[in-house]
Coordinates of all heavy atoms in Angstrom, one line a residue:
V1484 N -2.3 14.0 -25.5 CA -2.2 13.0 -24.5 C -3.6 13.1 -23.8 O -4.1 14.1 -23.4 CB -1.0 13.3 -23.5 CG1 -1.1 12.3 -22.4 CG2 0.2 13.3 -24.3
S1485 N -4.1 11.9 -23.7 CA -5.4 11.7 -22.9 C -5.4 12.0 -21.5 O -4.3 11.9 -20.8 CB -6.1 10.4 -23.2 OG -5.5 9.4 -22.4
R1486 N -6.4 12.5 -20.9 CA -6.5 12.7 -19.4 C -6.2 11.4 -18.7 O -5.6 11.3 -17.5 CB -7.8 13.4 -19.0 CG -7.9 13.7 -17.6 CD -9.2 14.5 -17.3 NE -9.2 15.0 -15.9 CZ -9.9 14.4 -14.9 NH1 -10.6 13.3 -15.2 NH2 -9.8 14.9 -13.7
T1487 N -6.9 10.3 -19.2 CA -6.6 9.0 -18.5 C -5.2 8.6 -18.5 O -4.8 8.2 -17.4 CB -7.5 8.0 -19.3 OG1 -8.7 8.4 -19.3 CG2 -7.3 6.7 -18.6
K1488 N -4.5 8.8 -19.5 CA -3.0 8.5 -19.5 C -2.1 9.3 -18.5 O -1.4 8.8 -17.9 CB -2.5 8.6 -20.9 CG -1.0 8.3 -21.0 CD -0.4 8.3 -22.5 CE 1.0 7.9 -22.4 NZ 1.6 8.0 -23.8
I1489 N -2.6 10.6 -18.5 CA -1.9 11.5 -17.5 C -2.2 11.1 -16.1 O -1.2 11.0 -15.3 CB -2.4 12.9 -17.6 CG1 -1.9 13.5 -19.1 CG2 -1.9 13.8 -16.5 CD1 -2.5 14.8 -19.3
I1490 N -3.4 10.7 -15.8 CA -3.7 10.1 -14.4 C -3.0 8.8 -14.2 O -2.3 8.8 -13.0 CB -5.2 9.9 -14.3 CG1 -6.0 11.2 -14.4 CG2 -5.5 9.2 -13.0 CD1 -7.5 11.2 -14.6
Y1491 N -3.0 7.9 -15.1 CA -2.2 6.6 -14.8 C -0.6 7.0 -14.6 O 0.0 6.5 -13.7 CB -2.3 5.8 -16.0 CG -3.5 4.8 -15.9 CD1 -4.5 4.8 -16.9 CD2 -3.6 4.0 -14.9 CE1 -5.5 4.0 -16.9 CE2 -4.8 3.2 -14.8 CZ -5.8 3.2 -15.7 OH -6.8 2.3 -15.7
E1492 N -0.1 7.8 -15.5 CA 1.2 8.2 -15.3 C 1.6 8.8 -14.0 O 2.7 8.6 -13.3 CB 1.8 9.1 -16.5 CG 1.9 8.4 -17.7 CD 2.1 9.2 -18.9 OE1 2.2 10.6 -18.9 OE2 2.4 8.7 -20.0
Y1493 N 0.7 9.7 -13.5 CA 0.9 10.3 -12.3 C 0.8 9.3 -11.1 O 1.6 9.4 -10.2 CB -0.1 11.5 -12.1 CG 0.3 12.3 -10.8 CD1 1.2 13.2 -10.7 CD2 -0.5 12.0 -9.6 CE1 1.6 13.9 -9.6 CE2 -0.3 12.8 -8.5 CZ 0.7 13.7 -8.5 OH 1.1 14.4 -7.3
L1494 N -0.1 8.3 -11.2 CA -0.2 7.3 -10.2 C 1.1 6.5 -10.2 O 1.6 6.3 -9.0 CB -1.3 6.4 -10.5 CG -1.5 5.3 -9.5 CD1 -1.7 5.6 -8.1 CD2 -2.7 4.4 -10.0
I1495 N 1.8 6.1 -11.2 CA 3.0 5.4 -11.3 C 4.1 6.3 -10.7 O 4.8 5.7 -9.8 CB 3.3 5.0 -12.8 CG1 2.3 4.0 -13.2 CG2 4.8 4.6 -12.8 CD1 2.3 3.8 -14.8
V1496 N 4.2 7.5 -11.0 CA 5.2 8.4 -10.4 C 5.0 8.5 -8.8 O 5.9 8.4 -8.0 CB 5.1 9.9 -10.9 CG1 6.0 10.8 -10.2 CG2 5.6 9.8 -12.3
K1497 N 3.7 8.7 -8.5 CA 3.4 8.7 -7.0 C 3.7 7.5 -6.3 O 4.2 7.6 -5.2 CB 1.9 9.1 -6.8 CG 1.4 9.3 -5.4 CD 2.0 10.5 -4.9 CE 1.5 10.8 -3.4 NZ 2.2 11.7 -2.7
Q1498 N 3.4 6.4 -6.8 CA 3.7 5.1 -6.2 C 5.2 4.9 -6.0 O 5.7 4.4 -5.0 CB 3.1 4.0 -7.1 CG 3.4 2.6 -6.5 CD 2.9 1.4 -7.4 OE1 1.9 1.6 -8.0 NE2 3.7 0.3 -7.5
R1499 N 6.0 5.4 -7.0 CA 7.4 5.2 -6.8 C 8.0 6.1 -5.8 O 9.1 5.9 -5.3 CB 8.1 5.6 -8.2 CG 7.8 4.3 -9.1 CD 8.5 4.7 -10.5 NE 8.3 3.7 -11.4 CZ 8.3 3.8 -12.8 NH1 8.6 5.0 -13.3 NH2 8.0 2.7 -13.6
T1500 N 7.3 7.3 -5.6 CA 7.8 8.3 -4.6 C 7.3 8.0 -3.2 O 7.8 8.7 -2.2 CB 7.5 9.7 -5.0 OG1 6.1 9.7 -5.1 CG2 8.1 10.0 -6.4
I1501 N 6.4 7.0 -3.0 CA 5.9 6.8 -1.6 C 7.0 6.0 -0.8 O 7.3 4.8 -1.2 CB 4.7 6.0 -1.7 CG1 3.5 6.8 -2.4 CG2 4.1 5.5 -0.5 CD1 2.2 6.1 -2.6
D1502 N 7.5 6.5 0.2 CA 8.4 5.8 1.0 C 8.0 4.7 1.7 O 8.6 3.8 2.2 CB 9.0 6.9 2.1 CG 9.8 7.9 1.4 OD1 10.4 7.7 0.4 OD2 9.8 9.1 2.1
N1503 N 6.5 4.6 1.8 CA 5.9 3.6 2.6 C 6.0 2.2 2.0 O 5.7 1.1 2.5 CB 4.5 3.9 2.7 CG 4.3 5.1 3.7 OD1 5.2 5.5 4.4 ND2 3.1 5.6 3.8
L1504 N 6.2 2.1 0.6 CA 6.4 0.8 -0.1 C 7.3 -0.1 0.7 O 7.0 -1.3 1.0 CB 6.7 1.0 -1.5 CG 5.6 1.6 -2.4 CD1 6.2 1.8 -3.8 CD2 4.4 0.7 -2.3
Y1505 N 8.5 0.4 0.9 CA 9.5 -0.4 1.7 C 9.1 -0.6 3.1 O 9.3 -1.7 3.7 CB 10.9 0.2 1.6 CG 11.5 0.1 0.2 CD1 11.7 1.3 -0.7 CD2 11.8 -1.1 -0.5 CE1 12.1 1.2 -1.9 CE2 12.2 -1.2 -1.6 CZ 12.5 -0.1 -2.5 OH 12.9 -0.2 -3.7
A1506 N 8.5 0.4 3.8 CA 8.2 0.2 5.2 C 7.0 -0.9 5.3 O 7.0 -1.5 6.1 CB 7.6 1.5 5.6
I1507 N 6.1 -1.0 4.3 CA 5.0 -1.9 4.3 C 5.7 -3.3 4.2 O 5.4 -4.2 5.0 CB 4.1 -1.8 3.1 CG1 3.2 -0.6 3.4 CG2 3.3 -3.0 2.9 CD1 2.4 -0.3 2.2
V1508 N 6.7 -3.5 3.3 CA 7.4 -4.8 3.2 C 8.0 -5.2 4.5 O 8.0 -6.2 5.0 CB 8.3 -4.8 2.0 CG1 9.2 -6.1 2.0 CG2 7.6 -4.6 0.8
D1509 N 8.8 -4.2 5.2 CA 9.4 -4.3 6.4 C 8.5 -4.7 7.5 O 8.7 -5.6 8.3 CB 10.2 -3.1 6.8 CG 11.4 -2.8 5.9 OD1 11.8 -3.7 5.1 OD2 11.8 -1.7 6.0
R1510 N 7.3 -4.0 7.6 CA 6.4 -4.5 8.7 C 5.8 -5.9 8.5 O 5.6 -6.5 9.4 CB 5.2 -3.4 8.7 CG 5.6 -1.9 9.2 CD 6.3 -1.9 10.6 NE 7.6 -2.3 10.7 CZ 8.7 -1.6 10.2 NH1 8.7 -0.6 9.5 NH2 9.9 -2.3 10.2
R1511 N 5.5 -6.2 7.2 CA 5.0 -7.4 7.0 C 5.9 -8.5 7.3 O 5.6 -9.6 8.0 CB 4.5 -7.5 5.4 CG 3.8 -8.7 5.1 CD 3.2 -8.7 3.7 NE 4.1 -8.3 2.7 CZ 3.9 -7.6 1.7 NH1 2.6 -7.1 1.5 NH2 4.8 -7.2 0.8
T1512 N 7.2 -8.2 7.1 CA 8.3 -9.2 7.5 C 8.4 -9.4 8.8 O 8.6 -10.3 9.5 CB 9.7 -8.8 6.8 OG1 9.4 -8.7 5.4 CG2 10.7 -9.7 7.1
D1513 N 8.4 -8.2 9.5 CA 8.4 -8.2 11.2 C 7.3 -9.1 11.6 O 7.4 -9.8 12.6 CB 8.4 -6.8 11.6 CG 9.6 -5.9 11.2 OD1 10.6 -6.5 10.9 OD2 9.5 -4.6 11.4
I1514 N 6.0 -8.8 11.1 CA 4.9 -9.5 11.6 C 5.1 -11.1 11.4 O 4.8 -11.9 12.2 CB 3.5 -9.1 10.9 CG1 3.3 -7.6 11.4 CG2 2.4 -10.0 11.2 CD1 2.2 -6.9 10.5
S1515 N 5.5 -11.5 10.1 CA 5.7 -12.8 9.8 C 6.8 -13.4 10.8 O 6.7 -14.6 11.2 CB 6.2 -12.9 8.4 OG 5.1 -12.4 7.6
T1516 N 7.8 -12.7 11.1 CA 8.8 -13.3 11.9 C 8.3 -13.5 13.4 O 8.7 -14.6 13.9 CB 10.0 -12.2 12.0 OG1 10.6 -12.0 10.7 CG2 11.1 -12.7 12.9
Q1517 N 7.4 -12.5 13.8 CA 6.8 -12.8 15.1 C 5.9 -14.0 15.1 O 6.0 -14.8 16.1 CB 6.0 -11.5 15.5 CG 6.8 -10.2 15.9 CD 7.6 -10.5 17.1 OE1 7.1 -11.0 18.2 NE2 8.8 -9.9 17.3
L1518 N 5.1 -14.1 14.2 CA 4.2 -15.1 14.1 C 4.8 -16.5 13.9 O 4.2 -17.6 14.2 CB 3.1 -14.8 13.0 CG 2.1 -13.7 13.3 CD1 1.2 -13.5 12.2 CD2 1.5 -13.8 14.6
R1519 N 5.9 -16.5 13.2 CA 6.6 -17.9 13.0 C 7.1 -18.3 14.3 O 7.4 -19.6 14.4 CB 7.9 -17.6 12.1 CG 7.4 -17.6 10.7 CD 8.6 -17.7 9.8 NE 8.2 -17.2 8.4 CZ 8.6 -16.0 8.0 NH1 9.3 -15.3 8.5 NH2 8.2 -15.6 6.7
G1520 N 7.2 -17.6 15.3 CA 7.5 -18.1 16.7 C 6.6 -19.2 17.2 O 7.0 -20.1 17.8
F1521 N 5.3 -19.0 16.6 CA 4.3 -20.1 17.0 C 4.8 -21.5 16.6 O 4.5 -22.6 17.1 CB 3.0 -19.8 16.5 CG 2.2 -18.8 17.3 CD1 1.6 -17.7 16.6 CD2 1.9 -19.0 18.7 CE1 0.8 -16.8 17.4 CE2 1.3 -18.1 19.5 CZ 0.7 -16.9 18.8
M1522 N 5.3 -21.5 15.3 CA 5.7 -22.8 14.7 C 7.0 -23.3 15.5 O 7.2 -24.5 15.4 CB 6.2 -22.6 13.2 CG 5.1 -22.1 12.4 SD 5.3 -21.6 10.6 CE 6.8 -22.3 10.2
N1523 N 7.7 -22.6 16.1 CA 8.9 -23.0 17.0 C 8.5 -23.1 18.4 O 9.4 -23.4 19.2 CB 10.0 -22.1 16.8 CG 10.5 -22.0 15.3 OD1 10.4 -22.9 14.6 ND2 10.9 -20.8 14.9
S1524 N 7.2 -23.1 18.8 CA 6.8 -23.2 20.2 C 7.4 -22.1 21.0 O 7.7 -22.3 22.1 CB 7.2 -24.6 20.7 OG 6.5 -25.6 20.0
E1525 N 7.7 -20.9 20.4 CA 8.3 -19.8 21.2 C 7.0 -19.0 21.5 O 6.0 -19.0 20.8 CB 9.2 -19.0 20.3 CG 10.4 -19.7 19.8 CD 11.2 -19.0 18.8 OE1 10.9 -17.7 18.6 OE2 12.1 -19.5 18.2
S1526 N 7.1 -18.3 22.6 CA 6.0 -17.3 22.9 C 6.4 -16.0 22.1 O 7.4 -15.6 21.7 CB 6.0 -17.1 24.4 OG 7.2 -16.4 24.8
I1527 N 5.3 -15.3 21.8 CA 5.4 -14.1 21.0 C 4.7 -13.0 21.9 O 3.8 -13.3 22.7 CB 4.7 -14.2 19.7 CG1 3.3 -14.6 19.6 CG2 5.5 -15.3 18.9 CD1 2.5 -14.2 18.4
D1528 N 5.1 -11.8 21.6 CA 4.5 -10.6 22.2 C 3.3 -10.1 21.5 O 3.5 -9.6 20.3 CB 5.6 -9.6 22.4 CG 5.1 -8.3 23.2 OD1 3.9 -8.3 23.5 OD2 6.0 -7.6 23.4
L1529 N 2.2 -10.4 21.9 CA 0.9 -10.0 21.3 C 0.9 -8.5 21.0 O 0.5 -8.1 20.0 CB -0.3 -10.4 22.1 CG -1.6 -10.0 21.5 CD1 -1.8 -10.7 20.1 CD2 -2.7 -10.4 22.5
N1530 N 1.3 -7.7 21.9 CA 1.3 -6.3 21.8 C 2.2 -5.8 20.7 O 1.9 -4.9 19.9 CB 1.7 -5.6 23.1 CG 0.6 -5.7 24.2 OD1 -0.6 -5.8 23.8 ND2 1.1 -5.7 25.4
T1531 N 3.4 -6.5 20.5 CA 4.2 -6.3 19.3 C 3.6 -6.4 18.1 O 3.6 -5.8 17.1 CB 5.6 -7.0 19.4 OG1 6.2 -6.6 20.7 CG2 6.4 -6.8 18.3
V1532 N 3.0 -7.6 18.0 CA 2.2 -8.1 16.7 C 1.1 -7.0 16.4 O 1.0 -6.6 15.3 CB 1.7 -9.5 16.8 CG1 0.8 -9.9 15.6 CG2 2.8 -10.5 17.0
L1533 N 0.4 -6.7 17.5 CA -0.8 -5.7 17.2 C -0.3 -4.3 16.8 O -0.8 -3.6 16.0 CB -1.6 -5.6 18.5 CG -2.5 -6.9 18.8 CD1 -3.1 -6.7 20.2 CD2 -3.4 -7.3 17.7
S1534 N 0.9 -4.0 17.5 CA 1.6 -2.7 17.1 C 1.9 -2.7 15.6 O 1.7 -1.8 14.9 CB 2.5 -2.3 18.1 OG 3.2 -1.1 17.8
L1535 N 2.8 -3.7 15.3 CA 3.1 -3.8 13.9 C 2.0 -3.9 13.0 O 2.1 -3.3 11.8 CB 4.1 -5.1 13.7 CG 5.4 -5.1 14.5 CD1 5.9 -6.5 14.5 CD2 6.3 -4.1 13.8
S1536 N 1.0 -4.6 13.2 CA -0.2 -4.7 12.5 C -0.9 -3.4 12.2 O -1.3 -3.1 11.1 CB -1.2 -5.7 12.9 OG -0.6 -7.0 12.9
E1537 N -0.9 -2.7 13.2 CA -1.5 -1.2 13.2 C -0.7 -0.4 12.1 O -1.3 0.3 11.3 CB -1.7 -0.6 14.6 CG -2.2 0.8 14.5 CD -2.3 1.4 16.0 OE1 -1.9 0.7 16.9 OE2 -2.8 2.5 16.0
T1538 N 0.6 -0.4 12.4 CA 1.5 0.5 11.5 C 1.4 -0.1 10.1 O 1.2 0.7 9.1 CB 2.9 0.3 12.0 OG1 2.9 0.7 13.3 CG2 3.8 1.1 11.1
Y1539 N 1.2 -1.4 9.8 CA 1.2 -1.9 8.5 C -0.1 -1.4 7.9 O -0.3 -1.0 6.7 CB 1.1 -3.4 8.5 CG 0.9 -4.1 7.2 CD1 1.8 -4.3 6.4 CD2 -0.4 -4.4 6.8 CE1 1.6 -4.9 5.0 CE2 -0.8 -5.0 5.7 CZ 0.2 -5.2 4.8 OH 0.0 -5.7 3.6
G1540 N -1.3 -1.5 8.6 CA -2.6 -1.0 8.3 C -2.5 0.4 7.8 O -3.2 0.9 6.8
E1541 N -1.9 1.3 8.6 CA -1.8 2.8 8.2 C -1.0 2.9 6.9 O -1.5 3.8 6.1 CB -1.1 3.4 9.3 CG -2.0 3.5 10.6 CD -1.2 4.0 11.9 OE1 0.0 4.2 11.8 OE2 -1.9 4.2 12.9
L1542 N 0.0 2.3 6.8 CA 0.9 2.4 5.6 C 0.2 1.9 4.4 O 0.1 2.6 3.4 CB 2.1 1.6 5.7 CG 3.1 2.1 6.8 CD1 4.3 1.2 7.1 CD2 3.7 3.5 6.6
D1543 N -0.6 0.7 4.5 CA -1.2 0.1 3.4 C -2.5 1.0 3.0 O -2.8 1.2 1.9 CB -1.8 -1.2 3.8 CG -2.3 -2.0 2.6 OD1 -1.7 -2.0 1.5 OD2 -3.4 -2.4 2.7
G1544 N -3.0 1.6 4.1 CA -4.2 2.5 3.8 C -3.9 3.7 2.9 O -4.7 4.1 2.1
E1545 N -2.7 4.3 3.2 CA -2.3 5.4 2.5 C -2.2 5.0 1.0 O -2.7 5.8 0.0 CB -1.0 5.9 2.9 CG -0.5 7.1 2.1 CD 0.9 7.6 2.6 OE1 1.4 7.1 3.5 OE2 1.4 8.5 2.0
I1546 N -1.6 3.8 0.7 CA -1.5 3.5 -0.7 C -2.7 3.2 -1.3 O -3.1 3.5 -2.6 CB -0.5 2.2 -0.8 CG1 0.9 2.8 -0.6 CG2 -0.6 1.6 -2.3 CD1 2.0 1.7 -0.5
V1547 N -3.7 2.4 -0.6 CA -5.0 2.2 -1.1 C -5.8 3.5 -1.4 O -6.5 3.5 -2.3 CB -5.7 1.2 -0.2 CG1 -7.2 1.2 -0.5 CG2 -5.0 -0.1 0.0
Y1548 N -5.6 4.4 -0.6 CA -6.3 5.7 -0.8 C -5.9 6.3 -2.1 O -6.7 6.8 -2.9 CB -5.8 6.8 0.4 CG -6.3 8.2 0.0 CD1 -7.5 8.6 0.0 CD2 -5.3 9.0 -0.5 CE1 -7.9 9.9 -0.3 CE2 -5.5 10.4 -0.9 CZ -6.9 10.7 -0.8 OH -7.2 12.0 -1.1
Y1549 N -4.5 6.3 -2.4 CA -4.1 6.9 -3.7 C -4.7 6.0 -4.9 O -5.0 6.7 -5.9 CB -2.5 6.9 -3.8 CG -1.9 7.9 -2.8 CD1 -1.0 7.6 -1.9 CD2 -2.3 9.3 -3.0 CE1 -0.4 8.6 -1.1 CE2 -1.7 10.2 -2.1 CZ -0.7 9.9 -1.2 OH -0.2 10.7 -0.5
Y1550 N -4.6 4.8 -4.9 CA -5.1 3.8 -5.9 C -6.6 4.2 -6.1 O -7.1 4.4 -7.2 CB -4.9 2.4 -5.6 CG -3.5 2.0 -5.9 CD1 -2.6 1.6 -5.1 CD2 -3.3 1.8 -7.4 CE1 -1.4 1.2 -5.5 CE2 -2.1 1.3 -7.7 CZ -1.1 0.9 -6.8 OH 0.1 0.5 -7.1
S1551 N -7.4 4.2 -5.0 CA -8.9 4.4 -5.2 C -9.1 5.9 -5.7 O -10.0 6.0 -6.6 CB -9.5 4.1 -3.9 OG -9.1 5.1 -3.0
T1552 N -8.3 6.8 -5.3 CA -8.5 8.1 -5.7 C -8.2 8.3 -7.3 O -9.0 8.9 -8.0 CB -7.6 9.2 -5.0 OG1 -8.0 9.1 -3.6 CG2 -7.8 10.7 -5.4
Y1553 N -7.1 7.7 -7.7 CA -6.7 7.9 -9.1 C -7.6 7.1 -10.0 O -7.9 7.5 -11.0 CB -5.2 7.6 -9.2 CG -4.3 8.6 -8.6 CD1 -3.5 8.3 -7.6 CD2 -4.3 10.1 -9.1 CE1 -2.8 9.3 -6.9 CE2 -3.5 10.9 -8.4 CZ -2.8 10.6 -7.4 OH -2.0 11.6 -6.8
F1554 N -7.9 5.9 -9.5 CA -8.8 5.1 -10.4 C -10.2 5.7 -10.6 O -10.8 5.6 -11.5 CB -8.9 3.6 -9.8 CG -7.8 2.9 -10.3 CD1 -7.1 2.1 -9.2 CD2 -7.2 2.9 -11.5 CE1 -5.9 1.4 -9.5 CE2 -6.0 2.2 -11.9 CZ -5.4 1.3 -10.8
A1555 N -10.7 6.4 -9.5 CA -11.9 7.1 -9.5 C -11.8 8.1 -10.6 O -12.8 8.4 -11.4 CB -12.4 7.6 -8.2
Q1556 N -10.7 8.9 -10.6 CA -10.4 9.9 -11.6 C -10.5 9.4 -13.0 O -11.0 9.9 -14.0 CB -9.2 10.7 -11.3 CG -9.2 11.5 -10.1 CD -7.9 12.2 -9.8 OE1 -7.1 12.3 -10.7 NE2 -7.8 12.6 -8.6
V1557 N -9.8 8.2 -13.1 CA -9.8 7.5 -14.4 C -11.2 7.1 -15.0 O -11.6 7.4 -16.1 CB -9.0 6.3 -14.5 CG1 -9.2 5.5 -15.7 CG2 -7.4 6.7 -14.3
C1558 N -12.0 6.6 -14.0 CA -13.4 6.3 -14.3 C -14.2 7.5 -14.8 O -14.9 7.4 -15.9 CB -14.0 5.7 -13.1 SG -15.7 5.2 -13.4
Q1559 N -14.0 8.6 -14.2 CA -14.7 9.8 -14.4 C -14.2 10.3 -16.0 O -15.0 11.0 -16.6 CB -14.5 10.9 -13.4 CG -15.1 10.5 -12.1 CD -14.9 11.5 -11.0 OE1 -14.1 12.4 -11.2 NE2 -15.6 11.3 -9.8
S1560 N -13.0 10.0 -16.3 CA -12.4 10.6 -17.5 C -12.8 9.8 -18.7 O -12.7 10.2 -19.8 CB -10.9 10.7 -17.4 OG -10.2 9.4 -17.5
L1561 N -13.4 8.6 -18.5 CA -13.7 7.7 -19.6 C -15.1 8.1 -20.2 O -15.9 8.4 -19.5 CB -13.8 6.2 -19.1 CG -12.5 5.6 -18.5 CD1 -12.7 4.2 -18.0 CD2 -11.4 5.7 -19.7
S1562 N -15.2 8.0 -21.5 CA -16.4 8.1 -22.1 C -17.3 6.8 -21.9 O -16.8 5.9 -21.6 CB -16.2 8.5 -23.7 OG -15.7 7.3 -24.3
S1563 N -18.5 6.9 -22.4 CA -19.4 5.8 -22.2 C -19.0 4.7 -23.2 O -19.3 3.4 -22.9 CB -21.0 6.2 -22.4 OG -21.0 6.8 -23.8
E1564 N -18.4 5.0 -24.3 CA -17.9 4.0 -25.2 C -16.7 3.2 -24.6 O -16.5 2.1 -24.9 CB -17.5 4.6 -26.5 CG -18.7 5.2 -27.3 CD -19.0 6.6 -26.9 OE1 -18.1 7.3 -26.4 OE2 -20.3 7.0 -26.9
Q1565 N -16.0 3.9 -23.8 CA -14.8 3.3 -23.3 C -15.1 2.3 -22.2 O -14.4 1.5 -21.7 CB -13.8 4.4 -22.8 CG -13.1 5.2 -23.8 CD -12.3 6.3 -23.4 OE1 -12.7 7.1 -22.6 NE2 -11.1 6.4 -23.9

C-alpha cells in the first residue's frame, strides 16, 4: 500500500470523525435563517449573525487545516513522475 493511499484513507477517516461537520451545517443554516429576515422586512440581530459567523469560521478553519495538512503530505509523497 502506498504512502499516498494511506494518507488519503486517513483523511477520509478523520473527516468522518470530525463532529464539526454537522455543526458547520447547523451554523450555516442559522446564519441563513437570520439573513432571510431581510427578505421579510424583519429586523435581524447583527451581533447574532456575527457570532454565528465567527463560530462557523472556526469550525470551517479546523476542517481546512486537516485538508491542507494531508494534501501537503500527499504532495510530498509523490514522485516527480506522478
